[in-house]
Amino acid sequence: MTPNTLKTEQKQELIASLINEGEKDQAIQLLNEWAIQTSFNEVIFSILEPMLINWGKLWMQGKLSLAHGYISGKVAEEFYLLAANDPEFKSSSGKIKGTVILGNAEDDFHPLGRRLVRIYAQAAGWNIIDLGTDVPSEVFIEKAIENNADIIAISAMMFTTAKNILKVRQDIDKNGLSEKIKLAVGGAVFKLRPELVSEIGGDGTVDTAIDSPDLFDRLINQLKIRN
Amino acid sequence: MNSLERILATVTGNETDYQPFTMLLSLYGASLIKSDTSTYYRDPEIWFEGQQAVVDTFDPDIVISPFSFPIEASAFGSELVFLNKYAPNIRKPIITSLSQINSLQIPDFEKSEAIKFFLRGNELLSGKYKGNKAIASPIHSPADLPSLLMGIEMWIDTLLFHPEYIDRIMQKTVEHFVRLGNEFLAGGTTFLVVPVNFTNPMMITEKIFSKLLPYLESAFRQIKGPIVIHNGGCKIMSFIDRFVKLPNVIALVLEHTESFDEARRIIGDKTILMGNFDGPNFVNLNREKATDITSKILNNRKADKHFIFATSNADIPYDTPVETIKTVVDTIRNFRKYDSV
């Protein structure tokens, strides 16, 4: 059976198998071929997203490694970029759920979790503006106002850098934005010390990047109810 | 039977007078002597004072020379951040682009304050306890060290998509590992402890592991003493069949949720198994719970002559009550290991 004649489930398995072997370029090439034969929408919603959701579950259960998550994230990231250039996909894309300003806390140089959040949240329909590592509070606020953002999402790996998020909380409140912008926080330190979320003024957190779209959904719903 | 004899009996599979044990109380030494951690992790004399307090208070069979992988990475130039009541961490990795690997300098042991801290701490520990206690020296695996020099993401990315750079950095980390490991052993260390924080199935795929194994084999073969593989806070079960075949490996420390019985099925009866009380969780336990967990582990390994009770994962936290740790120690000392076996 050639890849062209495979059933949807078999295509998902084939992509999973290529990712498992670290064959990122082959996986993207195959997805692209299928997209040409059908459409980017078809490939994303029937093959890639169900596979990613399944992998996310396996990852959370400890059955896949961080490297698996990294490769699948890279495949998704590069394929979404291809899709973004497709006029049909652009015109048929669903409504953007909202805008998230994403970045690592000031002094934090651990980008992996943040990058995975960006990939999974973009795939779920969020407009993500990624500011990178070591982002000062003023830049988070400035970009949030400039882009009329709904959520500021900040990643921090360590206790010391997580404490820098408190400044963002204070600046949100000081600028009268607390009714308009929610503060999502995440990173290894919040798993170890869950009480830290409220201590630094976070509005919510999740344990893994794959859950970040659900957190953003919850937070934007809170804003809608309030406003 | 002193502590060293007890540990050596475990290596040869002979009976001991009581269950040998160790705990990762490196950070806790600072707590016992009320030292701030930034001094404790810079001054080997202060650090040694803390470890003497650990021995005086808990009397473990294995004492552990200075333990901090970020400090080891700082010897290559990575920036450290010192944290109150925690061990230091990496603020910023030294490598931010792959081209910098070529100019990465292996630490000069004569000049590096970080390396001098490790070696002097080990020297002080050996001077006091050699011949009486087993001395364990933690050292970063050459396959894990790049994750602190360039960050986890870049190291995974390199292993997956930039194979030409793997050998360049691994040559440097293997050379450093062999030199530092053998310096420890020459300075009185009984065995090296090599955590696999990165080289484990929670972090990497089988395919990546197979790329790293030849480097580990080469590095371990050049070490002039025994090696203990430590879980580093991650599950290691699906890799242990490969770990035990590496040169000089005599023991594995399992992660706290992993099964000794399963490990024995995979690797047989001869390799020492250690574990598996979750060290970082000590701070959350009352004495009854600590006793209960300790007893379960001891009873599970009652007949196992190649077993050393140990904490798994990272350091026991700074704020853990002394009584909790003493409760665990008392439970071990009162346990009749070979009765009714």
Side-chain angles (χ1 to χ4, degrees), chain A residues 20-24 64-68 70-71 74 107 109-112 115 157-160 193, chain B residues 81-83 86 89-93 152-153 156-157 160-161 200-208:
Chain A
N20 194 39
E21 288 297 307
E23 301 294 347
K24 175 189 63 128
L64 290 176
S65 68
L66 182 64
H68 284 106
Y70 182 77
I71 307 166
K74 292 287 275 189
D107 286 338
F109 294 88
H110 300 89
L112 184 52
R115 283 170 55 91
M157 189 175 184
M158 298 182 302
F159 181 63
T160 44
R193 304 179 62 165
Chain B
V81 56
F82 285 88
L83 312 165
Y86 290 88
N89 213 325
I90 294 289
R91 180 179 180 273
K92 191 176 179 185
I152 292 170
E153 178 177 357
I156 288 178
D157 198 77
L160 287 166
F161 307 125
N200 67 69
M202 290 173 74
M203 297 295 286
I204 59 173
T205 63
E206 281 277 346
K207 195 170 176 180
I208 293 175

Side-chain angles (χ1 to χ4, degrees), chain A residues 5-223:
Chain A
T5 57
L6 295 175
K7 293 177 182 169
T8 302
E9 293 77 17
Q10 290 172 314
K11 287 180 178 176
Q12 289 173 14
E13 284 172 19
L14 183 55
I15 294 300
S17 161
L18 286 170
I19 292 174
N20 194 39
E21 288 297 307
E23 301 294 347
K24 175 189 63 128
D25 292 342
Q26 276 190 47
I28 294 166
Q29 188 184 339
L30 203 50
L31 289 167
N32 198 31
E33 284 174 17
W34 291 332
I36 291 166
Q37 289 157 18
T38 57
S39 69
F40 278 97
N41 268 326
E42 172 68 20
V43 172
I44 286 173
F45 296 119
S46 305
I47 299 168
L48 190 55
E49 285 198 359
M51 196 226 84
L52 288 176
I53 289 167
N54 188 39
W55 269 45
K57 286 176 188 164
L58 293 171
W59 185 15
M60 284 171 69
Q61 292 164 10
K63 293 176 180 170
L64 290 176
S65 68
L66 182 64
H68 284 106
Y70 182 77
I71 307 166
S72 61
K74 292 287 275 189
V75 168
E77 184 180 34
E78 292 188 26
F79 189 66
Y80 285 125
L81 278 175
L82 289 174
N85 292 322
D86 179 65
E88 187 192 338
F89 179 78
K90 269 199 281 193
S91 65
S92 65
S93 289
K95 191 168 167 269
I96 294 291
K97 288 182 172 178
T99 295
V100 177
I101 305 296
L102 177 67
N104 285 85
E106 187 164 13
D107 286 338
D108 194 288
F109 294 88
H110 300 89
L112 184 52
R114 188 199 82 243
R115 283 170 55 91
L116 292 172
V117 166
R118 185 182 77 207
I119 290 163
Y120 287 119
Q122 275 178 338
W126 288 87
N127 175 35
I128 302 292
I129 296 168
D130 188 349
L131 304 180
T133 56
D134 185 24
V135 182
S137 174
E138 297 75 19
V139 178
F140 276 117
I141 301 298
E142 179 193 324
K143 292 293 175 187
I145 293 170
E146 184 183 315
N147 293 282
N148 199 22
D150 305 289
I151 294 166
I152 294 175
I154 307 181
S155 172
M157 189 175 184
M158 298 182 302
F159 181 63
T160 44
T161 56
K163 284 196 297 185
N164 293 336
I165 300 174
L166 182 59
K167 175 79 166 42
V168 182
R169 171 80 270 163
Q170 291 165 343
D171 286 346
I172 288 173
D173 296 343
K174 193 172 73 184
N175 285 280
L177 298 169
S178 47
E179 299 295 312
K180 296 177 184 167
I181 295 174
K182 286 287 182 181
L183 179 60
V185 297
V189 67
F190 295 104
K191 281 204 260 187
L192 294 171
R193 304 179 62 165
E195 73 280 4
L196 199 57
V197 178
S198 57
E199 283 175 26
I200 51 92
D203 292 316
T205 190
V206 280
D207 281 351
T208 67
I210 190 108
D211 286 330
S212 57
D214 290 341
L215 172 64
F216 297 160
D217 287 345
R218 284 201 304 276
L219 293 177
I220 203 165
N221 283 336
Q222 289 172 14
L223 284 174

